[in-house]
Amino acid sequence: MMLEADAAKVTDALSASIESGMVPSAMKAWHTGGDMFGVVVPVDGLAARLLTFADVGGWGRFVPGGHTAVKIGGEFCINETREFVVEGGIPMPAGSVVFKLLDGGHWDPILIYGRSARATGRRRARQLDTTMPEYDARKPRTVEAWRTVSEKFAEGASGEVHLIGGTGIRPTSIWVTREFEALKNNPAITKIVQVDPASGYTRVIWPE
């Protein structure tokens, strides 16, 4: 589960995939263009807590600490989105709303639960490949995913940032078209340093 304030950042299947930490249902909707659904659950009176490894049943994308994460190239990028769990096997709280996610992030309510509905217990996560797809310029969905994730984490970075790359960076690369501008517009960034992996030469590229 995530807080409603964090869920407000979800506007489509791609952002749902990122903010949820690449859960299978969101990834499937993103890949296939299928519908996205969600549930708003009142948690008053429920014992909410942080997830543990025991809760996720072997889910390989889980990072403890209370935030969702995206795994890219073997490394985890931590989202600002908070996640928690409540015990299953209890009646679905009255007033819980099932909604369909529409264009622009609008929620279309399709069902409001009364006191007779029952919540299911936690299910073991299916072992699916939910890592970020490899970059492929021939696939628009993949390109947009990498652009969105790169820009998102640039906006959430802080301090001194190192760019590993020499003089061969393409002007149409995601770094040039998305990340660099996002970093420069991020007030938490103090310096951007380019590092040439071949020679080890470094230079400050921002601020100039």
Side-chain angles (χ1 to χ4, degrees):
M1 302 178 74
M2 67 175 66
L3 296 177
E4 187 173 357
D6 294 333
K9 295 180 287 188
V10 175
T11 58
D12 52 24
L14 175 55
S15 56
S17 298
I18 295 171
E19 298 302 333
S20 66
M22 300 300 185
V23 298
S25 58
M27 290 286 285
K28 181 179 179 180
W30 170 51
H31 281 299
T32 65
D35 292 329
M36 281 290 304
F37 297 90
V39 185
V40 178
V41 180
V43 294
D44 293 341
L46 299 180
R49 58 176 174 79
L50 296 182
L51 280 79
T52 67
F53 282 104
D55 294 313
V56 300
W59 175 246
R61 311 295 168 240
F62 172 67
V63 177
H67 291 261
T68 62
V70 176
K71 192 173 186 180
I72 303 176
E75 299 292 333
F76 284 102
C77 296
I78 308 300
N79 289 322
E80 294 181 358
T81 297
R82 295 152 289 184
E83 62 179 348
F84 60 95
V85 67
V86 297
E87 295 300 328
I90 60 174
M92 182 73 83
S96 298
V97 179
V98 179
F99 65 89
K100 180 179 180 180
L101 183 64
L102 303 179
D103 292 342
H106 300 291
W107 296 359
D108 181 22
I110 58 178
L111 177 66
I112 301 178
Y113 274 91
R115 295 188 179 278
S116 59
R118 295 192 63 82
T120 60
R122 297 190 301 271
R123 295 187 301 172
R124 180 173 293 273
R126 292 179 294 169
Q127 296 303 304
L128 299 179
D129 182 10
T130 54
T131 57
M132 279 288 293
E134 291 188 11
Y135 184 84
D136 189 336
R138 300 167 297 179
K139 298 179 179 180
R141 285 183 180 273
T142 299
V143 172
E144 184 56 31
W146 277 93
R147 285 175 177 170
T148 301
V149 170
S150 298
E151 188 171 31
K152 172 183 172 60
F153 288 111
E155 291 171 349
S158 62
E160 183 175 310
V161 174
H162 288 190
L163 164 65
I164 309 301
T167 58
I169 299 176
R170 294 176 292 104
T172 57
S173 67
I174 293 176
W175 163 257
V176 174
T177 60
R178 291 288 186 92
E179 282 184 279
F180 192 28
E181 287 302 314
L183 287 169
K184 290 192 294 183
N185 292 328
N186 180 349
I189 298 299
T190 58
K191 185 187 299 183
I192 302 174
V193 179
Q194 183 175 11
V195 181
D196 188 324
S199 65
Y201 174 74
T202 65
R203 69 184 182 97
V204 177
I205 58 176
W206 187 88
E208 298 179 13

